[in-house]
Amino acid sequence: MKRIIVYTIISWTFWSCDRDDHQKHEHPSTQTDTTKKSVKKTAMANIGRNHVHIEYTAPAVRNRIVWGGLVPFGEVWVTGAHQATSFTFSEDVVIQEKTIKKGKYAFFTIPDKNEWTIILNTRWKQHLADEYNQKEDIIRFKVKPLENIHTERLIYQVVDEADGKGYVEMAWEKIKIKFPIQNRN
């Protein structure tokens, strides 16, 4: 009887692994390691009545040297992977005392050890920084990178503080940057 049960279990296991729907069935040992791929993500929140929406592709550290290695210092970066990160504002906002009209924009940065350049660019649909053109920037300003706890996968946050004010934050590896945004009244 034990032998029949063992054969039944073994047969069922092989049968279940050989079914036509094998794309839906994975053994733990053959599952894809998602940390090896950059994944599409979104971050969003309402700041007052303004819906701020960020679409980005989030790479992982994976034991790589990120700052000054994978992401070179002094070069325009999509601040994510693959496609340019995009910011969408449902209402006009003020960033660094400049009014940014509602709409969708590409978000780039130029990382450096002590200071980063933040860029919003009018052409939001771009692959990496291959098509980047500084003439299409609507704003550039500087921020200081801050130390952060280790963050394996790049992440954005939109934070509502109150009274139509908030901030955007990006964190990856042991660095984060953030900058305030404010609704235009």
Side-chain angles (χ1 to χ4, degrees), residues 53-112:
H53 187 96
I54 302 172
E55 295 179 12
Y56 63 104
T57 307
V61 174
R62 296 185 0 231
N63 294 318
R64 299 179 286 183
I65 296 171
V66 174
W67 310 117
L70 182 64
V71 178
F73 288 128
E75 294 183 19
V76 174
W77 176 43
V78 294
T79 323
H82 309 302
Q83 295 297 105
T85 294
S86 68
F87 281 35
T88 304
F89 305 109
S90 68
E91 302 287 332
D92 295 354
V93 295
V94 176
I95 301 175
Q96 297 290 307
E97 300 179 14
K98 179 175 172 110
T99 299
I100 309 298
K101 297 289 186 186
K102 69 180 180 178
K104 191 170 188 176
Y105 302 94
F107 178 74
F108 294 100
T109 57
I110 303 174
D112 216 326

